[in-house]
Coordinates of all heavy atoms in Angstrom, one line a residue:
E59 N 40.8 -1.8 -8.3 CA 41.5 -1.2 -7.2 C 41.6 0.3 -7.4 O 41.4 1.1 -6.5 CB 42.9 -1.8 -7.0 CG 42.9 -3.2 -6.4 CD 44.3 -3.8 -6.4 OE1 45.2 -3.3 -7.1 OE2 44.5 -4.8 -5.7
L60 N 42.0 0.7 -8.6 CA 42.1 2.1 -8.9 C 40.8 2.9 -8.7 O 40.8 4.0 -8.1 CB 42.6 2.3 -10.3 CG 44.1 2.1 -10.6 CD1 44.4 2.2 -12.1 CD2 44.9 3.1 -9.8
Q61 N 39.7 2.3 -9.1 CA 38.5 3.0 -9.0 C 38.1 3.1 -7.5 O 37.6 4.1 -7.0 CB 37.4 2.3 -9.8 CG 37.5 2.3 -11.3 CD 36.4 1.7 -12.0 OE1 35.4 2.3 -12.3 NE2 36.6 0.4 -12.3
F62 N 38.4 2.0 -6.7 CA 38.1 2.1 -5.3 C 38.9 3.1 -4.6 O 38.5 3.8 -3.7 CB 38.3 0.7 -4.7 CG 37.9 0.6 -3.3 CD1 36.6 0.8 -2.8 CD2 38.9 0.4 -2.3 CE1 36.2 0.7 -1.5 CE2 38.5 0.3 -1.0 CZ 37.2 0.5 -0.6
E63 N 40.2 3.2 -5.0 CA 41.1 4.1 -4.3 C 40.8 5.6 -4.6 O 40.9 6.4 -3.7 CB 42.6 3.8 -4.8 CG 43.1 2.5 -4.2 CD 44.4 2.0 -4.9 OE1 44.9 2.7 -5.7 OE2 44.8 0.9 -4.5
V64 N 40.5 5.9 -5.9 CA 40.3 7.3 -6.2 C 38.8 7.7 -6.1 O 38.5 8.9 -6.1 CB 40.8 7.6 -7.6 CG1 42.3 7.3 -7.7 CG2 40.0 6.9 -8.7
G65 N 37.9 6.8 -6.0 CA 36.5 7.1 -5.9 C 35.8 7.5 -7.1 O 34.6 8.0 -7.0
H66 N 36.3 7.2 -8.3 CA 35.6 7.5 -9.5 C 36.2 6.6 -10.6 O 37.2 5.9 -10.5 CB 35.7 9.0 -9.9 CG 37.0 9.5 -10.3 ND1 37.7 10.5 -9.6 CD2 37.9 9.1 -11.2 CE1 38.9 10.7 -10.1 NE2 39.1 9.9 -11.1
G67 N 35.4 6.6 -11.7 CA 35.8 5.8 -12.9 C 34.6 5.2 -13.6 O 33.5 5.5 -13.1
P68 N 34.8 4.5 -14.6 CA 33.6 4.0 -15.4 C 32.7 3.1 -14.7 O 31.5 3.2 -14.9 CB 34.3 3.3 -16.6 CG 35.7 3.0 -16.2 CD 36.1 4.1 -15.2
G69 N 33.2 2.2 -13.9 CA 32.4 1.3 -13.1 C 31.5 2.0 -12.1 O 30.3 1.7 -12.0
I70 N 32.1 3.0 -11.4 CA 31.3 3.8 -10.4 C 30.2 4.6 -11.1 O 29.1 4.7 -10.7 CB 32.3 4.6 -9.6 CG1 33.1 3.7 -8.7 CG2 31.5 5.6 -8.7 CD1 34.2 4.4 -8.0
A71 N 30.6 5.3 -12.2 CA 29.7 6.1 -13.0 C 28.6 5.3 -13.6 O 27.4 5.6 -13.6 CB 30.4 6.8 -14.1
C72 N 28.9 4.1 -14.1 CA 27.9 3.2 -14.6 C 26.9 2.7 -13.6 O 25.7 2.7 -13.8 CB 28.7 2.0 -15.2 SG 27.7 0.5 -15.4
A73 N 27.4 2.4 -12.4 CA 26.5 2.0 -11.3 C 25.6 3.1 -10.8 O 24.4 2.9 -10.6 CB 27.4 1.5 -10.1
A74 N 26.2 4.3 -10.7 CA 25.4 5.5 -10.2 C 24.3 5.9 -11.2 O 23.2 6.2 -10.8 CB 26.3 6.6 -9.9
G75 N 24.6 5.8 -12.5 CA 23.7 6.2 -13.5 C 22.8 5.1 -14.0 O 21.7 5.3 -14.6
G76 N 23.2 3.8 -13.7 CA 22.4 2.7 -14.2 C 22.4 2.4 -15.7 O 21.5 1.8 -16.2

Side-chain angles (χ1 to χ4, degrees):
E59 288 175 344
L60 281 176
Q61 293 184 87
F62 183 66
E63 289 168 6
V64 303
H66 65 241
I70 294 173
C72 160

